[in-house]
Amino acid sequence: MSEEQFTDISMTVCLTGLIIFMGFIIWDLGKKSQAGKMGTAVLFLVLGFGVVGFIFKNVLVEFLVLK
C-alpha cells in the first residue's frame, strides 16, 4: 500500500467519522437546550449546511479539476 492510497483511505474514514460525530453533537445540543423537534430540525439544517457545503465542494473539485 502506497502513502497515497493510505492517505486517501484514512481521510475518507476519518472525515466520515468526524461528520457522524458532528451529527451527534448537533443532536445533543438540541436535546440539552430543550429545543424540541422543530428546533432540533433547524439546528440540523443550519449547522449541517456547512457539512453539506464541504462535501459539495469536494464533489465539484473531483468533477471539474480531475476532468
Side-chain angles (χ1 to χ4, degrees), residues 22-50:
M22 288 172 62
F24 169 74
I25 290 171
I26 294 170
W27 173 78
D28 192 47
L29 180 65
K31 183 179 172 186
K32 285 185 179 178
S33 67
Q34 299 176 350
K37 290 181 182 178
M38 182 64 175
T40 304
V42 170
L43 281 172
F44 270 103
L45 179 71
V46 172
L47 297 176
F49 191 66

Side-chain angles (χ1 to χ4, degrees), residues 6-63:
F6 175 75
T7 303
D8 188 42
I9 291 170
S10 62
M11 285 297 291
T12 302
V13 170
C14 290
L15 281 176
T16 303
L18 181 64
I19 290 170
I20 291 169
F21 183 61
M22 288 172 62
F24 169 74
I25 290 171
I26 294 170
W27 173 78
D28 192 47
L29 180 65
K31 183 179 172 186
K32 285 185 179 178
S33 67
Q34 299 176 350
K37 290 181 182 178
M38 182 64 175
T40 304
V42 170
L43 281 172
F44 270 103
L45 179 71
V46 172
L47 297 176
F49 191 66
V51 174
V52 172
F54 177 75
I55 294 171
F56 185 68
K57 177 195 66 108
N58 286 335
V59 169
L60 283 178
V61 167
E62 289 291 326
F63 284 120

